[in-house]
């Protein structure tokens, strides 16, 4: 199978890494890719948002499968352009991707499908904004209706800050605050059959102790030893399958990766948001634990044959990802700084720990430089979360990037709690 992956972040590096390990993949390509992806796939300088250019590339490569990674190309209709050429593509149509592209559309779908979610108002005027903020009170949850790369949500006790964020958006969703821990659950679907992956938890805030501004994600872990063993079945029955069925009923079937961001509240599971693609950094830990070869799974979703695909196989161990970000992230990050220590991780930590590139590029001399806000995802596996954490942070310690930042507490509390329970047992 010849596979083309669209995108250039750590999510796409994780996808390319898993695909490169799949014996059925005979050729692997990525557009535009990054310095790390170049080690496992052939790169192509094609604009990921240009559907016709992507379709031309896929046709020229005689690709058997195209995997669209980021949300912006999906909302722009890149998957549609590839499908129109008769090439199997993993990723929803532009219409179905509105589940992520518009918070208001997602709320409408959830209401029709009786999916449990937060009560909300869609606001377009200052008067509507003020009424909604007054109705719910603090803490205020204000979401930009459109795509915002994971950074369009403000949760604050400060009414003035909430109002300022709302006024800066063309259309905004203001909703009730959901208490309880958050969980990310991915599902692969062909528009009818839904196959859930293993749940993960990510860390959105920039600094230790969940302090600082929201980011695209500073780390993640899987599995979730504290979660109810029936959680996946419950979310399948109340969230994922009803949503896929509702979109099919509307004539906009969703084929690809449906990502449910969930809150485990005192009143039960509630959907915080939907995404139309693999999440970053959760993908890094979920794929690290997936033993089933990836290409066949994604191809089955793209060709409508998931119903006959064998059950997924998972490792019993754990995975942890720690994101290394540029100086000043998530504000305007500094780029162009050299990254050292990558070879040491390969020499001393692989294959139990490895580095997935996000915002990187090579200069003319071949040195790897930072080229974005989130620069690297250091991922490690182990028999348990404690071991995976130790391996991940040992690898992080080998990497040098001037002014860089990372959280030191990814999965710390849950690993400690799990170790305590194991000792008590």
């Amino acid at each position: 199978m010849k596979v083309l992956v669209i995108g250039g972040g750590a999510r796409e590096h994780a996808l390319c890494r898993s695909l490169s390990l799949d014996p059925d993949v005979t050729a692997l390509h990525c557009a535009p890719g990054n310095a790390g992806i170049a080690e496992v796939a052939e790169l192509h300088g094609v604009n990921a948002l240009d559907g016709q250019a992507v379709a031309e590339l896929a046709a020229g490569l005689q690709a058997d499968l195209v995997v669209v990674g980021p949300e912006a190309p999906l909302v722009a209709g890149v998957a549609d352009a590839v499908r129109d050429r008769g090439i199997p593509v993993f990723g929803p149509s532009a219409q179905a991707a509105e589940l992520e592209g518009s918070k208001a559309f997602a709320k409408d779908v959830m209401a029709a499908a009786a999916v449990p979610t937060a009560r909300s108002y869609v606001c377009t005027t200052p008067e509507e904004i003020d009424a909604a903020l007054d109705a719910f009170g603090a803490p205020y949850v204000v979401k930009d209706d459109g795509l915002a790369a994971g950074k369009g949500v403000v949760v604050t006790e400060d009414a003035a800050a909430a109002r300022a964020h709302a006024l800066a958006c063309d259309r905004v969703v203001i909703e009730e605050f959901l208490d309880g821990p958050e969980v990310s659950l991915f599902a692969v679907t062909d528009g009818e059959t839904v196959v859930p992956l293993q749940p993960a938890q990510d860390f959105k805030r920039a600094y230790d102790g969940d302090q600082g501004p929201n980011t695209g994600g500073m780390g993640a872990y899987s599995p979730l030893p504290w979660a109810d063993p029936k959680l996946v079945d419950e979310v399948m029955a109340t969230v994922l399958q009803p949503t896929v069925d509702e979109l099919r009923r509307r004539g906009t079937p969703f084929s690809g990766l449906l990502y449910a961001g969930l809150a485990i509240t005192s009143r039960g599971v509630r959907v915080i948001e939907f995404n139309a693609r693999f999440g970053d950094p959760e993908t890094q830990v979920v794929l690290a634990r997936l033993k089933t070869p990836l290409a066949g799974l994604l191809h089955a979703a793209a060709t409508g044959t998931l119903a006959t695909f064998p059950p997924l196989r998972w490792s019993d161990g754990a995975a942890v990802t720690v994101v290394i970000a540029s100086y000043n992230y998530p504000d305007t990050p500094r780029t162009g700084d050299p990254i050292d220590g990558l070879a040491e991780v390969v020499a001393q930590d692989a294959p139990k720990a490895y580095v997935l590139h996000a915002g990187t590029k090579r200069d003319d001399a071949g040195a790897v430089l930072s080229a974005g806000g989130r620069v690297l995802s250091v991922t490690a596996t182990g028999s348990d979360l404690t071991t995976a954490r130790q391996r991940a942070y040992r690898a992080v310690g080998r990497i040098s990037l001037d002014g860089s930042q990372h959280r030191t507490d990814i999965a710390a509390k849950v690993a400690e709690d799990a170790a305590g329970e194991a000792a008590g047992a």
Side-chain angles (χ1 to χ4, degrees):
M1 196 187 300
K2 295 178 183 175
V3 183
L4 169 63
V5 176
I6 303 303
R11 163 188 43 228
E12 287 74 40
H13 194 176
L15 288 164
C16 285
R17 179 183 181 274
S18 290
L19 290 166
S20 73
L21 298 173
D22 187 332
D24 288 337
V25 175
T26 53
L28 183 58
H29 301 266
C30 187
N34 61 39
I37 295 173
E39 297 173 10
V40 294
E42 183 179 340
L43 302 191
H44 301 269
V46 169
N47 181 355
L49 294 173
D50 187 336
Q52 293 308 314
V54 170
E56 285 294 325
L57 174 62
L61 294 172
Q62 297 182 302
D64 301 298
L65 174 67
V66 176
V67 179
V68 183
E71 60 273 22
L74 291 169
V75 173
V78 168
D80 301 271
V82 176
R83 258 190 211 100
D84 289 345
R85 296 293 291 266
I87 300 168
V89 58
F90 183 81
S93 66
Q95 278 188 301
E98 279 297 288
L99 202 62
E100 176 169 5
S102 168
K103 302 287 190 296
F105 175 74
K107 288 289 187 182
D108 185 62
V109 170
M110 283 188 273
V115 169
T117 187
R119 294 178 297 123
S120 64
Y121 295 102
V122 179
C123 307
T124 56
T125 68
E127 293 76 21
E128 290 173 344
I129 289 167
D130 290 339
L133 292 173
D134 287 344
F136 288 129
Y140 304 100
V141 181
V142 184
K143 300 180 176 182
D144 190 334
D145 180 50
L147 289 180
K151 297 186 282 288
V153 179
V154 166
V155 180
T156 179
E157 299 277 351
D158 185 336
R163 188 172 192 272
H165 181 66
L167 290 171
C169 304
D170 290 332
R171 185 160 77 153
V172 68
V173 175
I174 296 174
E175 63 184 39
E176 67 175 328
F177 176 77
L178 296 175
D179 64 328
E182 295 185 13
V183 172
S184 301
L185 184 61
F186 303 160
V188 172
T189 178
D190 57 10
E192 292 193 28
T193 301
V194 181
V195 176
L197 305 186
Q198 290 284 305
Q201 187 174 56
D202 76 332
F203 294 74
K204 283 282 193 290
R205 299 283 185 172
Y207 311 130
D208 284 7
D210 292 327
Q211 300 298 305
N214 259 350
T215 70
M218 295 300 291
Y221 70 94
S222 178
L224 312 182
W226 51 268
D228 187 326
K230 299 175 184 173
L231 174 64
V232 173
D233 290 341
E234 179 185 349
V235 175
M236 270 289 293
T238 63
V239 175
L240 298 170
Q241 192 71 57
T243 300
V244 169
D245 291 344
E246 171 62 20
L247 286 166
R248 188 174 68 253
R249 188 190 68 75
R250 292 178 177 221
T252 55
F254 188 105
S255 169
L257 196 290
L258 179 58
Y259 165 150
L262 309 165
I264 314 300
T265 78
S266 54
R267 293 173 293 143
V269 174
R270 297 287 185 273
V271 175
I272 301 169
E273 65 176 355
F274 281 125
N275 290 329
R277 39 72 193 180
F278 280 102
D280 181 347
E282 300 98 317
T283 299
Q284 289 85 304
V285 292
V286 172
L287 292 186
R289 298 185 56 231
L290 179 65
K291 293 174 74 173
T292 298
L294 184 61
L297 173 63
L298 303 188
H299 190 265
T303 55
T305 57
L306 263 185
T308 58
F309 195 79
L312 301 186
R313 295 180 295 113
W314 298 92
S315 74
D316 292 332
V320 171
T321 286
V322 179
V323 171
I324 298 177
S326 292
Y327 174 78
N328 205 38
Y329 178 79
D331 293 325
T332 305
R334 191 175 77 203
T335 60
D337 289 313
I339 303 167
D340 295 314
L342 298 173
E344 283 79 358
V345 175
V346 173
Q348 302 192 51
D349 301 299
K352 300 296 186 183
Y354 48 88
V355 179
L356 298 168
H357 291 232
T360 67
K361 65 179 181 181
R362 286 193 185 273
D363 65 11
D364 293 339
V368 179
L369 308 178
S370 63
R374 291 186 296 172
V375 181
L376 304 169
S377 283
V378 180
T379 302
T381 56
S383 57
D384 53 32
L385 284 169
T386 297
T387 305
R389 281 194 83 246
Q390 290 170 346
R391 288 174 174 164
Y393 279 105
R394 189 181 305 132
V396 167
R398 302 191 201 281
I399 295 169
S400 173
L401 170 62
D402 186 46
S404 68
Q405 54 178 313
H406 66 271
R407 284 184 56 162
T408 65
D409 63 347
I410 303 301
K413 185 177 186 305
V414 69
E416 183 180 319
D417 291 347
E421 286 189 20

